[in-house]
Structure formats: structure tokens, C-alpha cells
Amino acid sequence: MLSKILAEKNLPPLKTRDEMINILQKEVYGYLPEKPDEISFEVKENIRKNFCASKAVLNEIKATVKIGEETFTFPFMASIPTGEGKHPFFVHINFRDQIPDLYMGVEEIIDNGFAVLSFCYKDITSDDNNFTNGLAGVFYKNKKREGSNPGKIAMWAWTAMRVMDWACTQDNLDKNCAIVCGHSRLGKTALLTGALDERFKFVHSNNSGCCGAAISRGKVGESVEKIIKVFEYWFCDNFKKYANNEDKMPFDQHYLLASIAPRYVNVASAVLDTWADPDSEMLSCVAASKMYEDMGLKGFICENRLPCVGVEYHEGNIGYHLRGGSHYFSREDWIKLIKFINKKRGLK
């Protein structure tokens, strides 16, 4: 059934990782800037006493990057268990800077043995068509945005990589178990981050939908035309030509998932989130599976049908679940994500 559905969509065949990443940057997200010329960190330790019942410390970090003659500083938070050893950790691209947060139950994450480094995407650059503020202002100073120059998603992804730069300096964080995650537009951002930065062993997309995990061809809910009409600044200018023209795209979103191979990717859907389209999100997992299989790995292992509420596919290197409810980064999503990660770590 699934192979028949995909055949009808006439998806472009998978290419090499470098080729797919190049196409996605050229045609969708824009090319990310190179690493900063310099980066430094200022850390305020243990800023909240008895944090998580003293099972963790909360640190505030300010990162300063130098790009040419320009500098930019942004904050992020690090919630790290106090126990001994190296802790697996999330880099969570979030909508707010609150600790804990609607989308991030920090104490539960800590209780499961994980650290979480989080930042608010609007502390990087505004979520609108203004390219003069924050990091966008640094990149585009006296320069018009055109062609394959980066949109806002690429800038948020670039910042997540800088948070990973800090994590790599910390002896109590397990660099072999780094996870980047995000919800909705920031789920799209997490996928791009993970595709481009191989330091992330796991990548989690939560309800990312159009231009995230979901196949664009034949998608219901949000389409390329609809997303460009409202959020064209998320993408590069080249992407505009595919509005209501998905069949002409020399790619689809299975390229984004496949670019993460041989590392792990997990996709979460919600049954009421028809705007994101759970069917198209799972079909992308199916289409990306061949990349893993060609590497001699388990790709996406599922039943031969579209998803129903409660499915949880964790056997392959591509994970997927469909929960009840609507568009939200829920406690259930975090629990299932941690379950997927621990399974791949050989833990129960």
C-alpha cells in the first residue's frame, strides 16, 4: 500500500548526501554562513537555587560570535543533571526562553538522565520579514537578500550549531549522544540543523509539516503556496518558484530526512494536526528509508499502511509516532522521543 502511494507521487530519487544538501540549501532554505571567525562564551552558573529539587543546575550562557568586523551576542540556558558522568543532551530550539516551558518539562527530562540546552528563536532574529535585526542584521548588513541567500530557518539552525560548539567544551556532556529538537517551524529548523551538522547523533522533528518532515507532493493542509504566502522569509528567494508547482521540484522533503543518514531521526505527528498532515510526514520516513538500507542499516520499519493513533515505530534508524491531540510539543512526545533514543543506546 505505502509503496503504491509513493509511486503515485513520483518523488525524485535519492542522491548522495552532499547532492541533496546542496539542492535543499540552493532551492529551499538558503546556504548557511560559514562558522564564525571567533566565538566566546560567558557563563553564569547555578542561577536558580534548588533547581529541579537540586537534581540539576541551571546555567545561563551568552555566546558572542564575530563575523568579519561584526559581532553578535545571544543567550541560551543549560539545564544539566548534577549526577556524575557524561550526560546525553538535547539542543532544544524553542519558542520561549522560559525554564521550564510549555514545550519543555525540564524536570522530567532531568529525571530521565538528560541535559537540555535551550534558546528562544526570537533572541536570534525576529520571526518576520525584517532582515535588519539580530543575526540577520549582521549577515545582511548593506546587502539585499536574493537567490539562495539564507532565510530565517537557516539562521536559527546556524545558531543551534553554535550552542553545540559550547556543548563540545563541556566534560559533563556526552558528545556521542547529542540530540537537536524543535516543534513546528522549529522542527523544520531542527531537521535542517541535523542534516547539516553531523555532530548531532539524533534529530527530532515535532509536528514540522510542510517544508519539514512532510512530503510536499499531494500534501493536504499547508502547501508550499500557502507557506510562502505567509512565511516566505523562512526560506530563500529561490523557493518562491515552487508555489503551486510542487511537481517541478527537483527534490522533496525525504531528501532532508535522508541527509541525516546514517544517524538517527525521529518524526512525531499528532492526529488532529491535519495542517502538518501526519500521513505525509510518515510517507517521508518511508521514502527516506532507502538511504539507510543502501548503507546496510535498518531504515524505517512500519506496518504497510498509513498511520493510526498510537503507532510507535522505533525498530529502525528512522523513528515515528502518531499521538492523539493537536499541534503541540507534549509530554507524551518527549517520553516517546526519550524511549526511541534509549532504545538506540541499548537501554530499556
Side-chain angles (χ1 to χ4, degrees):
M1 177 182 178
L2 296 178
S3 59
K4 180 180 179 181
I5 294 172
L6 286 175
E8 292 172 350
K9 290 182 180 292
N10 195 28
L11 296 177
L14 296 173
K15 299 178 180 293
T16 67
R17 176 177 179 269
D18 287 346
E19 288 173 323
M20 292 188 295
I21 286 175
N22 184 61
I23 289 171
L24 290 167
Q25 290 188 99
K26 179 182 177 182
E27 302 292 345
V28 187
Y29 307 102
Y31 289 97
L32 272 68
E34 296 295 326
K35 292 181 179 180
D37 299 314
E38 297 178 16
I39 185 168
S40 60
F41 304 101
E42 178 186 341
V43 182
K44 290 184 179 180
E45 296 184 344
N46 201 19
I47 64 171
R48 192 178 301 170
K49 300 299 181 183
N50 302 318
F51 180 65
C52 289
S54 299
K55 294 177 290 186
V57 294
L58 178 62
N59 298 335
E60 180 182 25
I61 300 97
K62 289 185 177 179
T64 298
V65 296
K66 184 177 181 182
I67 304 166
E69 298 301 316
E70 301 292 325
T71 60
F72 174 70
T73 299
F74 69 93
F76 64 94
M77 307 297 282
S79 306
I80 304 176
T82 53
E84 295 182 358
K86 295 180 180 292
H87 306 288
F89 64 96
F90 297 98
V91 172
H92 181 202
I93 312 162
N94 202 3
F95 286 89
R96 293 160 298 272
D97 60 1
Q98 300 167 9
I99 308 288
D101 179 69
L102 288 171
Y103 291 164
M104 190 174 70
V106 171
E107 188 167 2
E108 191 159 26
I109 293 169
I110 294 294
D111 285 346
N112 277 279
F114 291 77
V116 57
L117 318 180
S118 58
F119 67 92
C120 174
Y121 78 132
K122 287 186 178 179
D123 282 336
I124 311 308
T125 183
S126 60
D127 188 7
D128 55 27
N129 209 16
N130 184 344
F131 280 82
T132 66
N133 62 60
L135 190 61
V138 173
F139 289 153
Y140 285 105
K141 186 176 183 180
N142 302 321
K143 178 183 176 183
K144 181 182 178 182
R145 192 172 76 95
E146 57 188 7
S148 58
N149 294 146
K152 294 294 181 82
I153 284 176
M155 293 184 192
W156 299 325
W158 187 90
T159 305
M161 297 177 192
R162 307 290 71 83
V163 175
M164 184 63 179
D165 290 342
W166 179 81
C168 288
T169 69
Q170 303 302 299
D171 292 337
N172 58 350
L173 296 179
D174 183 0
K175 271 67 78 176
N176 292 317
C177 192
I179 311 107
V180 60
C181 61
H183 170 69
S184 194
R185 69 200 64 180
L186 304 182
K188 310 179 206 299
T189 305
L191 287 172
L192 180 61
T193 305
L196 294 172
D197 193 335
E198 295 180 273
R199 294 176 297 177
F200 289 103
K201 188 69 171 287
F202 294 86
V203 184
H204 176 72
S205 149
N206 205 80
N207 302 174
S208 63
C210 185
C211 305
I215 291 292
S216 294
R217 286 166 167 83
K219 185 185 179 302
V220 301
E222 190 170 35
S223 65
V224 171
E225 180 181 30
K226 291 174 181 176
I227 203 170
I228 288 176
K229 184 176 181 179
V230 182
F231 302 113
E232 59 89 14
Y233 50 86
W234 289 350
F235 311 101
C236 67
D237 280 357
N238 285 344
F239 192 46
K240 295 177 182 177
K241 63 179 175 284
Y242 299 116
N244 200 27
N245 197 28
E246 287 90 344
D247 288 341
K248 296 298 183 181
M249 298 190 309
F251 61 90
D252 213 311
Q253 293 308 114
H254 62 314
Y255 275 25
L256 189 56
L257 301 188
S259 295
I260 296 167
R263 295 165 293 129
Y264 302 103
V265 57
N266 190 64
V267 174
S269 300
V271 70
L272 297 180
D273 192 5
T274 54
W275 193 243
D277 189 1
D279 288 355
S280 291
E281 290 186 314
M282 196 186 96
L283 286 171
S284 190
C285 298
V286 177
S289 183
K290 186 176 185 300
M291 192 74 175
Y292 288 86
E293 294 162 7
D294 287 348
M295 294 177 175
L297 302 170
K298 292 181 179 180
F300 184 53
I301 300 174
C302 67
E303 299 164 279
N304 191 24
R305 58 175 173 80
L306 292 171
C308 58
V309 177
V311 297
E312 188 177 298
Y313 299 127
H314 285 173
E315 293 304 312
N317 283 34
I318 303 175
Y320 176 87
H321 72 256
L322 175 62
R323 61 162 171 79
S326 58
H327 192 71
Y328 194 82
F329 201 168
S330 71
R331 174 179 178 272
E332 182 178 355
D333 293 314
W334 280 100
I335 291 172
K336 290 182 183 296
L337 170 58
I338 289 171
K339 183 178 179 181
F340 174 73
I341 294 166
N342 283 340
K343 186 178 182 69
K344 302 310 167 187
R345 296 170 68 204
L347 305 176
K348 292 185 179 180

